[in-house]
Amino acid sequence: MTAPIYLSRLLTDRAMAHLESLGVPVRVGSEAPPSRAELQAGIRGAGAAIVTLTERVDDALLAAAGDGLKVVANVAVGYDNIDVAAATAAGVTVTNTPGVLDRATADHTFALILAATRRVVDGDRFLRTGEPWVWGPRMLVGLDISAGATLGILGYGRIGQAVARRARAFDMTVLATARSRTPGTAEDGVQFVDADTLLAESDVLSVLTPLTPQTRHLIDAAALAKMKPTAYLINTARGGVVDESALITALHAGALRGAALDVFENEPDVDPRLLDAPNLVLTPHIASAGEATRDAMGILAIDNAAAVLAGKPALTPVR
Ligand code: GLV
C-alpha cells in the first residue's frame, strides 16, 4: 500500500483540490494547528509530510514518522521550524516555497511602512473614539516616505528585492545589506552598505532576513541605539530577529519614531507590553496572506511532496 501524504493543516480550497487531484492517499489535519500528539500520530507511517510554520519538525517527530518518510514540505519560505540537519541525517528531503510569496510579502511590508509612517492606524483609532474633530494642519502628521526618505533593507533576498522595487516607485533612496553583496557596490538603484551604515542612515528599516542562530536578536538594544530617533522599524521576517523587549523600551523612550510588526518572538503569543507600546502597528503574521499567494504556496508544497514521492527531484529543496 502507498504510504499516505500527511497534511498537518487545511490549506486553501484550491490547494486542497490540487492535493485531491493527485489521487494518492492523504491524511489531513484540521484548520487549527495540531497538538504535538496529533502531529506525531498524523505523521506516523507517512511518506510525505506537508507542514506549516506552526509545526516544529525535530528529531523526535522524524523518529515518530518512521522510516518511510521521504520529504517534509513546508508551506512557507522560512523554515526555522524545521531541523534541516536532523532531516538530512534521516534521509528526508526538506522543501520550502520560495518565489511565490515575494510580491504579497513585499506588498504587506509596504502596507505596514505606510500604515506606520502615515499613521493610518492612529487615524482609525482616533475616529472610533467619537471625539469631535476638524481638519488641522498639525493633525496626525507623519513621515512623507516619497519626499526623499531612505529605506534600509536588512536581507536582500527575493522579498528584499521586491520591497526595493516598490520603494523605488515611491522615489525612496534604497540601501541594503546582504551577505552576498559587497558594501560600496550598487545594483538596480540599490546601494549596498555595511550594517552600521544601514542602521544609521535608514528612515525606515525593513527587516527581511531569515531567522538563524546568527540573526537571532540581530536588532537588539545596541542596533536600535544606532538608528535615528526619527526612524521606523518594520519586521515582516521572523519575530526572533528583533529583540522585542529592546524595541518596547526604545518606543517608550522615543528613541524610535515608530514600528510595525507582522511577526513575534513567541508566536502566537504577543507580549502584552507590545499592545501598550506607542506608535506601533501590529498584524498577525499575514504578510503572505494574499488569496493567489496562499493557493500558490500550498500547491508548490504539494508538488514538492509529490515529486519526491515519485522519485523525482524536489522543485524547491532547502539547501
Ligand atoms: C511566512 O512567514 C513564510 O515564511 O512563508
Side-chain angles (χ1 to χ4, degrees):
M1 202 183 81
T2 321
I5 294 180
Y6 168 59
L7 168 60
S8 63
R9 298 182 66 180
L10 270 187
L11 302 175
T12 62
D13 288 351
R14 280 210 174 86
M16 294 308 297
H18 185 67
L19 180 62
E20 214 168 288
S21 75
L22 298 180
V24 297
V26 293
R27 200 184 283 157
V28 182
S30 58
E31 189 163 349
S35 67
R36 190 70 182 168
E38 286 166 340
L39 185 59
Q40 287 184 337
I43 205 169
R44 191 162 298 131
I50 302 171
V51 299
T52 75
L53 56 82
T54 53
E55 285 75 71
R56 187 164 44 84
V57 179
D58 54 14
D59 258 336
L61 189 71
L62 293 164
D67 291 342
L69 186 69
K70 303 265 178 302
V71 53
V72 173
N74 211 28
V75 189
V77 66
Y79 49 87
D80 47 286
N81 57 313
I82 299 177
D83 183 340
V84 178
T88 307
V92 175
T93 301
V94 177
T95 68
N96 65 343
T97 60
V100 294
L101 45 67
D102 300 347
R103 282 179 294 189
T105 307
D107 289 349
H108 193 71
T109 301
F110 246 83
L112 290 182
I113 291 173
L114 288 166
T117 57
R118 294 303 308 275
R119 310 189 60 181
V120 173
V121 178
D122 285 344
D124 182 90
R125 277 203 200 110
F126 168 73
L127 275 186
R128 288 170 202 278
T129 64
E131 267 184 53
W133 69 284
V134 61
W135 182 92
R138 297 162 67 99
M139 185 186 180
L140 288 172
V141 173
L143 174 73
D144 286 306
I145 59 165
S146 54
T150 295
L151 175 71
I153 300 178
L154 183 70
Y156 193 67
R158 288 187 195 82
I159 298 170
Q161 290 167 39
V163 169
R165 286 195 292 278
R166 284 151 182 75
R168 286 201 305 273
F170 277 84
D171 299 327
M172 297 182 85
T173 298
V174 186
L175 307 179
T177 53
R179 272 178 314 165
S180 56
R181 303 297 203 290
T182 313
T185 61
E187 177 187 303
D188 297 333
V190 177
Q191 300 160 46
F192 298 104
V193 294
D194 59 46
D196 279 356
T197 307
L198 191 83
L199 292 167
E201 294 194 3
S202 298
D203 296 306
V204 178
L205 181 68
S206 168
V207 176
L208 287 166
T209 187
L211 179 62
T212 65
Q214 291 73 37
T215 63
R216 180 170 293 281
H217 284 190
L218 194 59
I219 302 299
D220 58 5
L224 291 168
K226 291 177 185 163
M227 293 178 67
K228 298 179 189 177
T230 50
Y232 294 81
L233 177 77
I234 312 294
N235 188 5
T236 46
R238 283 292 181 270
V241 180
V242 174
D243 178 342
E244 280 176 1
S245 292
L247 174 64
I248 292 162
T249 304
L251 287 169
H252 279 291
L256 210 57
R257 190 166 176 196
L261 304 177
D262 184 53
V263 285
F264 304 93
E265 275 195 73
N266 298 306
E267 271 182 47
D269 296 337
V270 175
D271 187 324
R273 294 173 305 158
L274 287 172
L275 305 180
D276 294 331
N279 305 320
L280 179 61
V281 175
L282 303 170
T283 53
H285 204 152
I286 54 170
S288 67
E291 288 165 0
T293 298
R294 285 290 165 86
D295 288 344
M297 290 167 69
I299 289 169
L300 179 53
I302 292 163
D303 286 347
N304 269 311
V308 176
L309 282 184
K312 298 183 194 148
L315 306 175
T316 51
V318 164
R319 295 184 200 279

